[in-house]
Structures are given as structure tokens and as C-alpha cells.
Amino acid sequence: MVRKRRTELPSGSESSESGSQHPAAPPAQQQQGAGGYQGGRGSPPQQQGGGGYPQQQGGGVYQSGRGAPPQQQGGGHQGGRGSTPQGARGGYGGGRGGYPTPQQQYGGPPEYQGRGRGGPPQQGGRGGYSGGRGGPSPGGPSRSPVSELHQATPVPYQAGITPQPAYQASSSSHPPEPSEVAEQFQQVSIQQEEAPSQAIQPVPVSSKGMRFPLRPGKGKTGTRCTVKANHFFAELPDKDLHQYDVTITPEVTSRGVNRAVMSQLVKTYKDSHLSSRLPAYDGRKSLYTAGPLPFQSKEFKITLLDEEEGQAGQARRERDFRVVIKFAARADLHHLGLFLQGRIADAPQEALQVLDIVLRELPTSRYCPVGRSFYDPGLGRRQPLGEGLESWRGFYQSIRPTQMGLSLNIDMSSTAFIEPLPVIEFVTQLLNRDVQARPLSDSDRVKIKKALRGVRVEVTHRGNMRRKYRISGLTSQATRELTFPVDERGTMKSVVEYFHETYGFAIQHPYWPCLQVGNQQRPNYLPMEVCKIVEGQRYSKRLNERQITALLKVTCQRPQERERDIMQTVRHNAYAEDPYAQEFGIKISENLAQVEARILPPPWLKYHDTGREKDCLPQVGQWNMMNKKMVNGGKVTNWICINFSRNVQDSVAKGFCYELAQMCHISGMAFNPEPVLPPVSARPDQVEKVLKTRYHDAMTKIPGKELDLLVVILPDNNGSLYGDLKRICETDLGLVSQCCLTKHVFRMSKQYLANVALKINVKVGGRNTVLVDAISRRIPLVSDRPTIIFGADVTHPHPGEDSSPSIAAVVASQDWPEITKYAGLVCAQAHRQELIQDLFKQWQDPVKGTMSGGMIKELLISFRRATGQKPQRIIFYRDGVSEGQFYQVLLYELDAIRKACASLEPNYQPPVTFVVVQKRHHTRLFADNHRDRNAIDRSGNILPGTVVDSKICHPTEFDFYLCSHAGIQGTSRPAHYHVLWDENKFTADALQSLTNNLCYTYARCTRSVSIVPPAYYAHLAAFRARFYMEPETSDSGSMSSGAQGRGGGMAGAGGGRSTRAPGPNAAVRPLPALKENVKKVMFYC
């Protein structure tokens, strides 16, 4: 069975783009594109908790007449500013006539012009990367993850440096050449000055020398409250744990068989040879006991009856095994105790593993284990998911070291299993039609083969002899044409004859193929009609849209219900009576952990001074655009519309374009109401031809100018059209586009149009809102000197896609002090490789010698071009890294960041803070009292801004849980932030508040989102780049068959993720390059 860490589904991330982008999302969500990063990357909202589909009223941009939710209790907004100080906000705005006056600038960094053509306007305070050509960076080859760098002291920020003439952006999609970069960066010199508080530490050579930063004290900001967490205190046993190596011969790959062998051994020899001890076994090579066994090494002989043969008195095949148990080591619980007290820094993984295995013994024997979860039809009723699948309920269990000591994390989960149907019935459901009616087509056969490969079946034509087989494929011929040799002389017999003669069984479906079981060398043919699928097989491939929706329905639970189910599970598991827990002296509390939390205040948001409301304080994680204008409206002078929907007449398309242009204008953009050419209708199968023809027609009409925007109307179910269109626009034509689904074009709701306007504005280089604290320079460790904030993510292909590449995306803020605009870069890399390979790269040019480039370098250069400053501080939010990969990711990627900086200028080493963002964990937070209306939002979840950094967090390291979004549906999943490197010396309050405040700057909706926007944007950019792959490697084949979520549709660990430093020979076909003007704007929104 494919084993996987946990159920995931494509994210229900918000979008008012083509709805097909996120099939999991019902129309309401599209409608206002709100919701947090609900459902978070590749997982079901419910399950993740956060999930969500904003309800119509939930948070959108144009709410009319809704009573504002009550003010949060306690602690208005910081420092009791009555109304936000006008002075603090350097005059946004000023008078704006009608179209086309572009919005006036305030005196901070420059805007991108239109879409980044021409250099930035002159503005003060530009500090270059002085000196230094792009020679090889110190520290040897770029790929080595362990090269050691000793950096110079960072340069403090110097204000008031005289501006230099602007330079043109490099037009090639290749990173700019170092020589060109060096010249541009030598224009300005900065006086070196000591900044002792931020000494740059050398990158450690290996994880041995690596210590993650200690917690800099606990946060104090915000209103204190108490929440409950699904963590149960586990008392550390005082037993003497022993580990033994187990060797079973003949060796078998199945853990199930190994467990059966050991279970038989314990049953037979427990009292006579094992000192009456009850050992815990990991199903592989290790056995653990509470106290020593009476031998150093011993051999046992075990006989198993083969379950593959029938019951009812028939003789079963016996299998003999030789088992050697040999003493290996004593597991050290003493060190675990010291670690939990914070007296040693490294978690003793072995001791934790032993306790985990002990607590998994009983559920493993009772239920169906999948990764760290256990499923069983008895744990909740099965629900059909369609096409031969059903959902099973279960629970996740894992032991974790926390500040309160050991804790058992228990959460509810659901996943898809194959229904134990007769194969004929399964195929009927899979193809969704009467299979007798017409013969199977080639595509039918491919679909059946894909669905059944690897599935175990039992035969039904031999009475009680229910022999089990694993399906390896389908035969290419029909059953009636199949023959096989019956003796040494090669006498052939047909399958139909054989079944009739041997079993008296008449085959009803002679035109269907047979199932092929066994190996390819000696294939065994079984007609489908004599096979039934064996119960309890998890479905690990990708689910389609309908199945995802059905699974979401089942698993989406309100917080109160989820809490009740978790408590019920803990009682049902009865750890106090678990013989293994008793044997090892592990005691588990039956109560949820009560945890101190704080609710951080929401930040004030700045809108344009010409709007009726110039600033805004969000209420319970949401606000709207009524009476507000975008703080920097973008400019759309030249645009066109193409309609690919048969149902939308030209007049409707024209009307929609007019309304959309109006909404953009009302929202604060300079938007020409007239397109360059009238909307044109086109056929989806001619997307490339139509796009290019229309683009060239428009360009000939506006000689010397650029096209700012393409509006596209798509059919609701548009297959690969959305992806093809984005690929052509962004990598071929250099054009940003906004897709709208037919259903929204007909409805034309104000709410929808307002959301689309938000997206268009950032795609053409505008800003929707900025933090008041950012422009009044009040954000600690961000506002005092130019700071760049990165977000990075890697998305992996779906399970079952064994060859397609993983895609890495990195975004970086391009404005300071506002930090709201993010430019994004993407690249393909080796299949399931988690380390981002293109952060920094070097190559040899025959003429110019050693060249360097990569995503970090390119983004630092574009920050410098956009702001006229070089970053004096780097904050790097890294999404999607599991705990087991922390060291490798930090070593490799921090090294790449250092090399990228050094390649711009010798001794240029701004201090770095590296924070991992995790959504795929199972910690859930619940209100202490579900009836207290002041403690919950409308969905019954904890309030946005709730932060926890005690009790359930790491014993010594700098981590915290932050629920930054308002729940919409299901149980909110807080994001977990873990600081792996911090040269900027953040306090807990500074980093928690910065992270929470950034969550209010997400461009696509007027809600705070559930993970920090740079990480969210990186996720969107990586998701977008899947569409750029050549059709045969892309998994956007049919968008109706499931969303491309992070890490795949259902369950993303087909083979785990690699964190080995990338090898030089891993040849991956590169993605087509983004056009320069597209890179500069938030095209992925």
C-alpha cells in the first residue's frame, strides 16, 4: 500500500480567475475570492482546518449594509491612535481628475511605470551595490551545500544618498551579466560602518555545527486569552528501554507480513523466552522492550499460514521464517528529559521514535495504518466519493516534544479508499456508464488500467478459496482471444474454455480484456467478472473535482464538532488500558491542553486620499472596498478582450467589459473605458492563433505603444484552455491577462467585479493598499533600513506522475518601505527535489569567464532598480518544508543567499532571517468556551490574530502558531512559523506582529489570509508555472480531473521528497522564460 504522511487535496485557494483553476472551490468562493489560504496547499480545508469557501457575505470587497462585527475586546489598536495621524502618511493622492490622470505619487520609492518599461523615476536615497564584479563567490563551487562563508559586517542604511540616473531594465530573460550589473552598482558608494548588533555568522559546514535560534523570550503584545489545543500531555516513562535488531529470513517487503511473524513469535514465546515482556515492533528491523530480554542474541523459527489461500478446511500453504533478535542499544530517555527541560539543544530522535512506535502498536493491529494516521470503517461512516471510491474516517496520532513536556497530538482525518466492489461494478462506476452498451474504447482501457494497477483482488469463482492477487495490468486482447500453454508440449487452451472446463464457469464478458496478475514474465489471466476488490486499500492517486468536493463535505467540521470527535477518539483509544502503554509506563492525559494565547490587533490600512475613507481598521479579519480607492491605481490605457465562451454573445461581452472598466475606474485605476479593438469571439481549440493574431492587430493600431491588459472570457469548464492561455501570454507575448468565467460574466455582481479589479490593479503594477505603519516607518526591523522580504515554495507533481519536474518559485518585495509589491520567478527542477536549485548558479562563459546568476540575485537587482536602494536586510519566508528537512534546506539555501549577495559586490552580506512556514501540521486551536461570542468569529473559530508561543511550541527554539485569518468553513488551521536563522535579532513581538500585519496585505481579497503573503504568492507562482510545461509533461491535462494543488492532488508523497544537494546531471527541461515586463508585476495573482 502506498504510505503517505497525510491526506491532502488541492488547495481551495481564493480566486476570481478561471474557476477551473481551483476545482475544489464552489461558486461562492470564486464569487469573492476571499478565504485564507484555506485548505492550504494541497490539503482539504476541513482537514487542515482552515478550509474554506467564503460565504457570499464573508469578507468581500463590496459589502452593502452589513452590520460590522463587534469590535475586538480589550486593547483597541496600538497606542490608542484616535484617528490615524495624517502627517504620518506622506500625502497619498492629491487631486485626481477623471481618466486618464495617473495617480500622484507620494514621496517614497517609485512606482513601476505601467508594466515596468523604462527606468524608475528619479527619487532620492539610492544606494548601489558598490564595487565588485561577479567573479566566483568565496567558498568554492556553487552547488556544494556545505561551503563555509565568513562574511563581513553588514552596512548600516545611509539615508540621503544622491540619486544617479536611472538605467534600463535588462531585456533578456537570462539573468543580467555580472559585468553590466557591476557597472550599474558601482554608481554609488556607501560609507562602511560597524553594526555590531548584527554580526553575520558564517554558514555552518554541516548540521552538526548548526543550532537553530533560541526563543528570544515570549511575546507580550495583544489581548491575553486561553485556547485549547488538540495536544494531550504524555508522562515520560521511567522505564529502562532496550532496542533489539530484528532479522527475518526469507526477507519480505511487506510490513504486514513482518508484523504477522513477530506477533506469532510473541504469542508463542512471550512467557518462555521473552521474560513475559510485551515488545513493540516497528514492522521493519527494530524491536523495543521495557527492560532487557534474557539473551544478547537468539534465533526463533516461526511458521505462518498463508492468508492468500482459502478458508473452510482447505489446506493452507505454510511459510517458514527464521527470526534473529539481537541486542542493539539502550534507548536513552534521560536525554529526552533534559531536552524537554531545555537543558540540551538536540531532540533525541531515537527515544521519541520508541515512544511513537509503542503508542502505535495497538492501533496498528486494530485499524488500517496510513502514514501517521489510522483508518477504519468503524471510526465513522463510509461515504461514497464516486467512481468506485469511498471515504473512511480516522485519526492522526504523533508524539511531540513541547514546552509542557511530551505531548500526543491527535486530530481527525479522512482519506479515500477503493470500494470493495466486484471489479465489473468498479469499472461501471469508474466509466460512469452502462458498460454492456458499447465496447471499451482505447481511452476507457487506459483509464481502467490506471485505476486498477497495483490493486489487490480476490477471486470469487472457487467457492471459499478466496485467493488474493495484485493487478499488474490489462491484457491487450479480449478474453475470448486469450490462450495460454497448459503443458510442457505447449498445448494452448483458451481462457474461456479453461474456466468452463475447470470451474464450470461461463464467461459473460468475452469481449472485455482480462486482468493481468503476477509478473510480466509469467502472466496470469483473470477475467474481471471473477474478481472482487479486497477491502481496506487506500487510494493514493489523484482525485477528480467531484471526488474532492465529496471528500471536503465529509471532512469539513465546525470547531466544536471536531473537538468533540477528538475527545471521543482519545476516550475510544483508552490509552490507560493499552497493554503496550502500560508495559512501557506511558500515561496519556484525557484532557485537551489549555494554552495561553494572545490576540494581536489588526493593522490600520492606507487607501487613497481621494476616497471617502482614507484608511481602514479591519474587523475580525475582513473589510471591504466601499468608499475606498486603491492607494496606487494602476494605468490601463490599451487593452483588448477575447471571448472563448460559445454562450456569451458579443453584446454581453461588450457590456461586461464596460462594467469591469467602470469598476476599475471607481476603485481608483486610470482605466480607459474603450478597448483598442472590440471584443472578439473565438474557438478554444484555436487559442494560440487567435491570441497572436489579435495581439498583432492591436499592436498595429497603437504603434510604438504597449498593450497593458488582455481580458478573457472562458467557458466554465475549459479543460487546458486556461493554462495554454497563461503560457502564451506570459512566456510568449509578454502580456498580463485576467480570465473571467462565463457564470460570472452573466451574473456581473459588484462584489465579483470589485475583486477582479483588485487583481487587475496589481497585475498592471498598482498597489491596492499598504500598511499605515509601513509608510509612517514604524515597523521594527523593516522600516529603519531598506528591507527585502522573500517568499519561496516548491510544488511537487501528483503521486503517480513519476517523471514530471518539481517547480520552485521565489517572490521578493520590490518596494520599500511599503512592502506590498512582489516580483516572482519560477524554475523547474528535479522530480520531488525540495531544495531550490536555482537560488544561485554559476557557469563558465567562453568569453567572459565565470558568470553567476540565479533567482536571488535577479530579485535583488530588480529591488535595486525599483527602489533605488540595495537591501540592508533580508527576511526569507520558506513554505513547504517538513521538520526532517530543516537542516538541509537551511544549509543549502542560506548558502545560496550568501553567494548571491557576494556575487553582486564583495563583502555585501545583509543580515538574513530565515523562517519556515508550515500549514501541513495537525495542531488545531479551539476557543476555551465555544459559547463566548467575544472569543470566536462567525464560523465558531478562534479570532484572527491569535498567536501561541508557549506550552505546545518547541521546548527551546523560536517558533509560534499564528491564526491570522477568520475561519469560513470547517476548523481553522493556524500557520506554524519556525525561525531557522536570525541575524536580525527579532524579538518575539516584532516577528509575530510583522507576520500578522503582512497577512492583511494580500492583494487578491479584502481579508487577512492564513499564511504570510510572500509565501502565498510563491505558492501561486509555482502553481501557475505548472501550466508552462510542455503539454506531454504537464499535469494540467484536463482541469476537470482535479486541481493542481501543492504537492499533488490527494496525498503528495509518491516517493517522498529529496533534500540531497542537486546533482549536476539532473537534466530537467527548463520552463519557457517569463517575459521581462511580466516578471516585474504580480502576474500570478
Side-chain angles (χ1 to χ4, degrees), residues 726-1035:
K726 291 293 183 188
R727 185 189 78 247
I728 297 160
C729 286
E730 288 155 9
T731 67
D732 196 343
L733 301 175
L735 179 58
V736 290
S737 55
Q738 177 61 50
C739 297
C740 304
L741 290 181
T742 300
K743 59 186 177 190
H744 297 137
V745 169
F746 282 124
R747 278 192 212 126
M748 239 185 313
S749 79
K750 287 272 189 280
Q751 170 71 71
Y752 171 74
L753 292 170
N755 268 318
V756 175
L758 291 178
K759 291 164 63 111
I760 290 175
N761 189 44
V762 295
K763 287 177 185 180
V764 298
R767 283 192 196 91
N768 294 337
T769 183
V770 298
L771 296 168
V772 167
D773 278 359
I775 46 177
S776 54
R777 304 281 180 98
R778 280 193 301 239
I779 301 177
L781 294 173
V782 171
S783 297
D784 61 334
R785 57 182 64 186
T787 298
I788 187 168
I789 301 185
F790 284 90
D793 189 16
V794 178
T795 74
H796 301 290
H798 301 282
E801 303 249 348
D802 349 345
S803 57
S804 45
S806 291
I807 289 180
V810 180
V811 304
S813 56
Q814 298 292 293
D815 51 354
W816 180 83
E818 305 86 345
I819 48 173
T820 54
K821 282 186 182 182
Y822 291 82
L825 298 174
V826 289
C827 70
Q829 57 185 40
H831 177 73
R832 304 204 77 77
Q833 165 65 258
E834 185 57 55
L835 303 176
I836 301 177
Q837 298 174 28
D838 269 0
L839 288 182
F840 177 75
K841 51 186 182 187
Q842 277 186 325
W843 64 95
Q844 290 300 323
D845 181 281
V847 180
K848 298 175 178 164
T850 305
M851 310 295 293
S852 67
M855 299 203 273
I856 299 281
K857 183 170 182 176
E858 195 172 335
L859 289 164
L860 288 170
I861 290 169
S862 65
F863 178 93
R864 160 77 171 71
R865 285 187 179 148
T867 64
Q869 322 262 11
K870 64 178 183 177
Q872 302 286 316
R873 211 182 249 122
I874 293 175
I875 300 169
F876 197 93
Y877 284 104
R878 175 67 154 89
D879 198 354
V881 181
S882 65
E883 286 170 30
Q885 300 165 328
F886 279 4
Y887 282 116
Q888 298 99 308
V889 168
L890 178 63
L891 279 168
Y892 185 80
E893 296 184 4
L894 180 63
D895 185 51
I897 294 168
R898 295 282 174 82
K899 286 175 171 163
C901 293
S903 74
L904 288 167
E905 166 189 323
N907 300 335
Y908 171 59
Q909 288 300 334
V912 176
T913 296
F914 193 107
V915 186
V916 165
V917 187
Q918 292 173 304
K919 279 287 283 193
R920 289 161 64 187
H921 58 77
H922 281 271
T923 294
R924 298 289 177 278
L925 302 174
F926 303 101
D928 193 35
N929 173 3
H930 290 284
R931 285 185 294 281
D932 178 357
R933 305 307 300 168
N934 296 321
I936 53 173
D937 62 20
R938 270 186 296 182
S939 66
N941 278 291
I942 54 172
L943 293 167
T946 303
V947 67
V948 169
D949 60 5
S950 66
K951 213 161 178 186
I952 57 169
C953 292
H954 193 279
T956 56
E957 291 168 11
F958 188 2
D959 71 329
F960 56 92
Y961 289 96
L962 171 64
C963 179
S964 48
H965 65 299
I968 291 167
Q969 190 173 323
T971 304
S972 294
R973 158 179 305 219
H976 183 230
Y977 295 90
H978 201 127
V979 181
L980 301 191
W981 195 255
D982 182 26
E983 290 164 340
N984 290 300
K985 299 287 177 272
F986 272 95
T987 63
D989 278 332
L991 188 62
Q992 290 165 8
S993 296
L994 169 67
T995 304
N996 186 54
N997 292 349
L998 286 174
C999 290
Y1000 286 79
T1001 64
Y1002 183 65
R1004 305 204 309 175
C1005 55
T1006 54
R1007 303 178 64 97
S1008 63
V1009 288
S1010 64
I1011 65 164
V1012 71
Y1016 206 152
Y1017 293 145
H1019 176 73
L1020 293 177
F1023 182 91
R1024 168 67 54 83
R1026 280 256 164 241
F1027 296 121
Y1028 299 163
M1029 291 193 298
E1030 310 309 315
E1032 71 270 17
T1033 61
S1034 165
D1035 54 8

Side-chain angles (χ1 to χ4, degrees), residues 531-604:
C531 296
K532 178 176 185 281
I533 292 168
V534 174
E535 180 170 88
Q537 297 181 79
R538 168 135 181 284
Y539 181 77
S540 59
K541 302 185 186 84
R542 190 165 144 193
L543 297 179
N544 67 32
E545 184 182 344
R546 288 181 301 281
Q547 290 165 334
I548 288 166
T549 308
L551 188 57
L552 292 182
K553 263 206 191 102
V554 179
T555 43
C556 190
Q557 285 185 296
R558 295 251 154 182
Q560 230 173 323
E561 293 165 31
R562 193 183 195 104
E563 185 187 320
R564 190 191 59 225
D565 281 3
I566 289 170
M567 293 300 293
Q568 211 174 321
T569 301
V570 170
R571 283 194 291 271
H572 178 79
N573 288 352
Y575 295 103
E577 285 132 53
D578 176 337
Y580 294 95
Q582 286 175 342
E583 169 91 9
F584 286 80
I586 302 172
K587 296 191 184 70
I588 307 288
S589 159
E590 287 206 338
N591 301 315
L592 290 155
Q594 298 258 347
V595 185
E596 278 182 18
R598 288 167 292 116
I599 298 161
L600 301 178
W604 279 88

Side-chain angles (χ1 to χ4, degrees), residues 170-419:
S170 128
S171 60
S172 75
S173 61
H174 205 67
E177 303 298 352
S179 53
E180 163 202 344
V181 170
E183 281 156 28
Q184 293 164 357
F185 290 170
Q186 281 171 331
Q187 296 169 349
V188 176
S189 67
I190 278 190
Q191 309 102 323
Q192 291 273 353
E193 207 179 89
E194 290 298 308
S197 66
Q198 292 173 332
I200 300 290
Q201 301 135 286
V203 179
V205 176
S206 76
S207 61
K208 289 284 177 285
M210 173 76 82
R211 284 281 169 270
F212 296 142
L214 296 177
R215 189 181 302 284
K218 298 200 172 130
K220 296 184 177 61
T221 306
T223 312
R224 293 186 178 281
C225 65
T226 302
V227 295
K228 290 178 287 194
N230 58 341
H231 284 241
F232 297 83
F233 180 68
E235 221 174 283
L236 195 61
D238 56 355
K239 298 275 180 161
D240 190 13
L241 300 194
H242 286 63
Q243 178 182 356
Y244 292 85
D245 287 339
V246 172
T247 316
I248 300 177
T249 41
E251 202 171 331
V252 277
T253 49
S254 153
R255 280 192 186 197
V257 175
N258 286 343
R259 285 185 187 284
V261 170
M262 292 308 292
S263 156
Q264 184 67 35
L265 185 147
V266 172
K267 215 179 287 171
T268 314
Y269 297 110
K270 182 181 171 191
D271 295 333
S272 58
H273 291 71
L274 304 180
S275 303
S276 298
R277 299 207 184 281
L278 185 61
Y281 176 51
D282 71 351
R284 291 262 187 264
K285 302 270 188 211
S286 298
L287 189 77
Y288 301 96
T289 56
L293 294 176
F295 53 79
Q296 283 293 304
S297 176
K298 196 165 192 67
E299 183 175 311
F300 298 87
K301 286 207 167 26
I302 300 294
T303 301
L304 271 197
L305 290 178
D306 194 342
E307 62 121 14
E308 302 276 286
E309 293 289 348
Q311 296 83 27
Q314 309 265 359
R316 292 202 284 168
R317 197 173 50 158
E318 292 189 341
R319 295 168 78 187
D320 291 327
F321 294 94
R322 190 167 70 87
V323 182
V324 176
I325 297 177
K326 185 176 173 207
F327 175 75
R330 289 175 63 167
D332 185 6
L333 287 183
H334 175 63
H335 272 94
L336 181 53
L338 292 177
F339 171 72
L340 293 168
Q341 292 161 25
R343 286 163 55 193
I344 58 170
D346 272 337
Q349 290 305 333
E350 300 74 29
L352 285 168
Q353 204 179 340
V354 180
L355 301 177
D356 208 39
I357 289 162
V358 170
L359 289 172
R360 298 173 68 74
E361 268 291 346
L362 194 60
T364 299
S365 64
R366 283 186 187 168
Y367 310 125
C368 175
V370 176
R372 290 188 168 276
S373 298
F374 299 95
Y375 298 94
D376 190 75
L379 293 171
R381 61 202 183 95
R382 309 173 179 205
Q383 298 282 357
L385 298 178
E387 298 192 16
L389 302 186
E390 60 184 9
S391 70
W392 284 20
R393 284 276 280 170
F395 64 94
Y396 165 93
Q397 167 182 304
S398 146
I399 197 139
R400 305 185 57 75
T402 63
Q403 289 173 37
M404 65 180 188
L406 277 184
S407 110
L408 191 67
N409 179 202
I410 299 233
D411 191 23
M412 305 317 296
S413 63
S414 287
T415 193
F417 277 76
I418 302 169
E419 278 192 68

